[in-house]
Amino acid sequence: MTEAPKRVAAFFDLDKTVIAKSSTLAFSRPFFQGGLINRRAVLKSAYAQFVFMQSGADADQVDRMRAHLTALCEGWDIEQVRSIVEETLHDIVDPLIYAEAAELIAEHREKGHDVVVVSASGEEIVRPIARMIGATDSVGTQMVASEGRYTGEIEFYCYGENKAVAMKQLAVERNYDLTACHAYSDSVTDVPMLEAVGHPATVNPDRALRKLAGERGWPVLTFSKPVSLRSRFHMPSGTTVAITAASIGAVAAAGATWYGIRRRRRK
């Protein structure tokens, strides 16, 4: 029996690699308008967005976000979350897509490569964004739900080494040759993701990743032109988009985390 030919995939981080902001923090205003978070959380998430754009989040900050997330989202009603996101997803995210990322994704698709978005954001927010940009598939953080509400527990945290774990699992399922695959990210926390493939590249890298890229000879790409994709891709109409507590919780939780950390460091 002849073995099936190996396939190639391009794995993309999401925030500051494909889109210009944090995908979760970008939703703070519609969540506030829907009564899911308060005004204080909106202000903190706006501050966190600024910090994120300036320096990103290190491992300690992300771990703190995870702890806040599990406490914040417990008991939230899933249907309320879905209805808010259905109304706001494309208006919020569409203008944030980097034109360079869209072009690179299109190039991979033209070559017959699968395109997979791999992000620490909730899988239900990552999935529709992946569809928007023409990706083949996506992997995100998975939250636990019971009887229509979020339990506040995380089933799979798609961050750091876990990104590489998810990619290797997909490689087995989809018959990818990881030595021929590509990966793109901006953060040093995604080194396991970049090391998992034969063709890693950095996008708008943070200081630590830029240094590592220089040492290892990894390409350094600069994406700087957010542009609406409405004229580039067919936009799904009336799709049922579900956002888990991973996306909502991170809006307020990440904001509170970064805000608190920065305040403590200034004291």
Side-chain angles (χ1 to χ4, degrees):
M1 184 175 177
T2 304
E3 184 178 350
K6 290 287 187 178
R7 301 167 60 192
V8 176
F11 298 92
F12 285 79
D13 172 49
L14 182 57
D15 300 347
K16 293 177 73 176
T17 301
V18 173
I19 67 175
K21 294 183 180 180
S22 161
S23 55
T24 51
L25 294 177
F27 281 90
S28 60
R29 184 164 298 279
F31 289 146
F32 166 71
Q33 293 170 341
L36 291 172
I37 59 176
N38 59 28
R39 186 176 298 277
R40 179 177 175 83
V42 174
L43 294 175
K44 287 182 177 180
S45 65
Y47 176 82
Q49 188 70 265
F50 170 76
V51 172
F52 179 83
M53 293 305 298
Q54 296 300 314
S55 60
D58 59 28
D60 179 63
Q61 289 171 324
V62 174
D63 283 342
R64 288 174 183 270
M65 284 182 230
R66 181 182 183 183
H68 279 283
L69 168 59
T70 56
L72 183 66
C73 67
E74 183 177 357
W76 284 0
D77 182 83
I78 298 172
E79 290 305 319
Q80 180 186 10
V81 177
R82 288 175 175 171
S83 64
I84 292 174
V85 176
E86 283 182 17
E87 297 171 359
T88 61
L89 175 68
H90 297 299
D91 288 339
I92 294 293
V93 177
D94 183 58
L96 302 179
I97 310 295
Y98 282 122
E100 298 93 338
E103 292 167 1
L104 184 57
I105 288 168
E107 289 175 9
H108 278 292
R109 294 302 304 271
E110 288 173 1
K111 293 177 181 177
H113 299 167
D114 284 356
V115 173
V116 183
V117 175
V118 186
S119 173
S121 294
E123 64 172 357
E124 283 82 5
I125 198 171
V126 178
R127 188 181 303 117
I129 293 176
R131 286 201 302 265
M132 286 175 61
I133 63 176
T136 312
D137 205 347
S138 63
V139 183
T141 293
Q142 300 172 17
M143 299 295 294
V144 178
S146 176
E147 298 182 353
R149 295 183 179 274
Y150 300 112
T151 67
E153 299 173 323
I154 296 178
E155 181 177 345
F156 177 74
Y157 193 34
C158 192
Y159 170 77
E161 184 63 38
N162 278 348
K163 286 192 176 184
V165 170
M167 291 163 59
K168 291 173 183 177
Q169 181 61 39
L170 278 178
V172 172
E173 296 173 358
R174 310 285 173 79
N175 200 32
Y176 294 145
D177 177 5
L178 287 175
T179 63
C181 288
H182 303 255
Y184 303 90
S185 179
D186 71 290
S187 174
V188 73
T189 62
D190 282 340
V191 167
M193 170 183 178
L194 296 171
E195 291 178 333
V197 301
H199 301 284
T202 65
V203 176
N204 301 336
D206 58 30
R207 183 177 302 176
L209 183 58
R210 184 178 294 274
K211 181 175 183 294
L212 186 63
E215 295 171 354
R216 299 192 180 184
W218 291 348
V220 176
L221 308 179
T222 300
F223 293 175
S224 60
K225 302 174 182 177
V227 63
S228 173
L229 296 186
R230 294 184 188 276
S231 60
R232 288 175 174 268
F233 297 104
H234 172 67
M235 306 297 289
S237 59
T239 54
T240 302
V241 180
I243 295 291
T244 64
S247 60
I248 298 179
V251 173
T257 299
W258 280 320
Y259 182 78
I261 290 172
R262 294 290 165 161
R263 284 178 60 86
R264 287 195 295 274
R265 288 179 177 175
R266 288 200 300 267
K267 290 182 179 180

